[in-house]
Amino acid sequence: MKNLDRRNFIKKASLSGAALTLGGMLPTYGKNSPIFDHTGQYMGDFSAPKLDKVRIAVIGVGARGTGHARQLASIEGTEIVAISDLYEDLAKRSADRCAEIGKGKRHKKIALYHGAEDNWRTMLDEVKPDAVFVATNWKNHAPMAIEAMKKGAHAFVEVPIALTLEEMWDIVITSEQTKKHCMMLENVNYGREELLYLNMCRKGVIGDLLHAEAAYIHELRGQMNNQKRGTGSWRTPHYAHRNGNLYPTHGLGPVAQYMNLARGEDNFSSLVSFSTPALGRKAYADKNYPEDHKWNKLDYKGGDMNTSIIKTALGRTIMIQWDETSPRPYSRHNLVQGTKGTLAGFPTRVALEGGVEGVTKDHHSWAQGDQLAKIYEKYEHPLYVRLGELSKKMGGHGGMDFMMLYRVVECLREGTPLDQNVYEGCHWSAVGPLSENSVAQGGAPQAFPDFTRGKWKSTQPLAILK
């Protein structure tokens, strides 16, 4: 990296300032459980023993999990051995699809667990899978991941990885003590644009990184029609009772990896957060449901739009926004700004000092659309070159879901580190509770826990895979 002396100065100054400013707000972990006093395997660059065949169990096969099960069943070297869901029809439907993909051979003995809330625990005891994929409501993510690891399985968890900082510490410590992976399934890191920008950042195309913008802006009020089961049935109370950024990782994950946060170069330091008034959900409920409907009995406290600013140890900034209520087009922002240019999303745009060769004269104009052909030709991520066409064919948010799952299986079978480690999943998810705390305190700064306990400094940046 360039300007190492300057960076070291900034890093020392930023860390000293954080210690002075935030020292009284450093999070604790339980009453009698010092987070430093335990033995375990650091999981930052951890490689698990190779698995010739990955025996997989899936917990939760509603809108999200059923797609995971289907795609995992199609990947060579997997066997779907069990499916658990509250609802028998969903479990059976998913198992039938997996068996069909396996042509009656590879996934022919899928054990089904449904009905009781804790049947997934029985599944772990009886089936003993190698890997467990959790795609349930948010409150179950941490308990299921922790128990899966304790029962000897690697855990792969939908976003966010957990709801509280204490749950995140529990996940980290369990992963280290059991030597089992726990990866949050952040699919957006496998989008074509995100992979392209990661490669360009690694090659220094936009110079030293200064600032990023990330978001999840996705109008989802229609999910409130899921009233007995389905996403809206359990998400809607979260919107009513919590005020912060409840869903930060889709936007934050990619820009965090551009910046090598918690991976050798830099780390999360602090966050401030503010929310708008909470108006949209209440107005939607008033308009679309009877006065005595349960959605009209909720006291909506979660602001329609939340804006948070993250400060890193090197002094970089990240603006992250969340809004699932307002009537506006979908966006994740996906912007990263450096000393030599800026990469931005929605739409995909590139501005470079001196211009994009053959397209723009200088950085005052964006290269976008068909003008980016030479950029893709020069900087397309090797992983997308290898798997892009197959992933688009297999589907899942344009192919990013399949590429993510393919990489999980590939890493487990080859015994190589995962693309996202347990600490990243916790750091990215920590924006949720930290933003709630900051909003409640009028925007007061909140210190990020260092889930690596200082070991991020020796963790390797995510490699550009060939």
Side-chain angles (χ1 to χ4, degrees), residues 275-286:
S275 291
T276 68
L279 302 177
R281 291 273 165 175
K282 183 179 187 305
Y284 188 86
D286 286 342

Side-chain angles (χ1 to χ4, degrees), residues 374-392:
K374 288 186 177 180
I375 292 288
Y376 280 107
E377 182 180 352
K378 189 173 183 180
Y379 298 112
E380 189 85 85
H381 194 292
L383 189 61
Y384 191 86
V385 172
R386 176 163 69 97
L387 295 174
E389 289 304 313
L390 174 62
S391 297
K392 284 193 293 185

Side-chain angles (χ1 to χ4, degrees), residues 46-353:
F46 178 72
S47 298
K50 294 180 182 180
L51 294 170
D52 181 55
K53 178 173 65 176
V54 185
R55 299 174 64 258
I56 294 171
V58 182
I59 307 176
V61 284
R64 194 83 179 111
T66 188
H68 287 339
R70 175 178 55 81
Q71 292 193 329
L72 286 164
S74 70
I75 298 172
E76 184 180 355
T78 66
E79 180 185 357
I80 309 301
V81 295
I83 291 174
S84 175
D85 195 280
L86 279 176
Y87 304 104
E88 181 179 6
D89 60 319
L90 296 183
K92 189 176 186 306
R93 180 191 66 178
S94 186
D96 289 345
R97 289 179 178 177
C98 292
E100 183 179 348
I101 291 169
K103 297 180 179 179
K105 298 179 181 178
R106 193 146 56 95
H107 314 293
K108 59 184 179 180
K109 294 181 179 179
I110 303 175
L112 299 184
Y113 296 81
H114 48 78
E117 281 276 358
D118 61 351
N119 267 351
W120 60 274
R121 296 180 185 274
T122 305
M123 179 191 74
L124 294 177
D125 287 331
E126 294 182 349
V127 178
K128 295 179 173 53
D130 299 316
V132 174
F133 286 75
V134 178
T136 63
N137 62 69
W138 296 338
K139 72 175 183 178
N140 283 329
H141 287 184
M144 289 177 173
I146 290 167
E147 189 66 16
M149 289 186 284
K150 288 181 177 179
K151 295 295 184 180
H154 300 295
F156 299 90
V157 189
E158 262 302 332
V159 303
I161 201 168
L163 293 178
T164 70
L165 298 179
E166 185 167 0
E167 286 179 332
M168 294 170 202
W169 277 116
D170 284 339
I171 285 173
V172 165
I173 291 172
T174 303
S175 177
E176 292 176 345
Q177 291 180 339
T178 61
K179 299 181 183 180
K180 295 297 178 182
H181 289 299
C182 185
M183 172 179 152
M184 185 178 70
L185 295 168
E186 185 40 75
N187 59 332
V188 175
N189 286 56
Y190 298 87
R192 185 185 186 188
E193 177 185 281
E194 287 76 9
L195 289 171
L196 174 75
Y197 288 177
L198 177 65
N199 198 25
M200 293 177 74
C201 288
R202 288 288 189 277
K203 292 182 180 298
V205 176
I206 62 170
D208 288 334
L209 305 187
L210 301 168
H211 172 75
E213 296 177 11
Y216 187 73
I217 295 171
H218 190 186
E219 191 275 303
L220 291 173
R221 291 172 296 177
Q223 288 183 342
M224 294 170 73
N225 290 323
N226 304 144
Q227 295 167 33
K228 293 185 178 179
R229 69 184 197 184
T231 305
S233 66
W234 54 265
R235 268 204 197 184
T236 303
H238 281 276
Y239 303 140
H241 300 142
R242 301 169 58 198
N243 192 6
N245 184 328
L246 308 193
Y247 206 67
T249 72
H250 285 332
L252 180 57
V255 301
Q257 289 196 332
Y258 303 158
M259 290 183 167
N260 288 327
L261 297 185
R263 281 183 174 267
E265 182 180 355
D266 198 0
N267 203 2
F268 295 89
S269 179
S270 63
L271 169 150
V272 297
S273 186
F274 300 90
S275 291
T276 68
L279 302 177
R281 291 273 165 175
K282 183 179 187 305
Y284 188 86
D286 286 342
K287 180 180 178 181
N288 292 282
Y289 303 104
E291 185 177 353
D292 61 350
H293 192 278
K294 65 179 180 179
W295 293 155
N296 277 315
K297 294 179 180 179
L298 292 175
D299 180 13
Y300 293 91
K301 296 179 180 178
D304 293 3
M305 165 74 83
N306 176 272
T307 299
S308 301
I309 302 290
I310 294 170
K311 192 77 167 174
T312 76
L314 282 178
R316 296 156 163 170
T317 53
I318 303 172
M319 182 192 78
I320 177 168
Q321 293 184 315
W322 173 73
D323 185 342
E324 293 183 29
T325 297
S326 303
R328 58 180 288 186
Y330 179 95
S331 179
R332 295 191 302 272
H333 290 344
N334 192 33
L335 181 147
V336 59
Q337 180 177 322
T339 55
K340 295 182 179 180
T342 302
L343 312 174
F346 299 88
T348 304
R349 295 159 287 158
V350 175
L352 301 177
E353 189 173 34

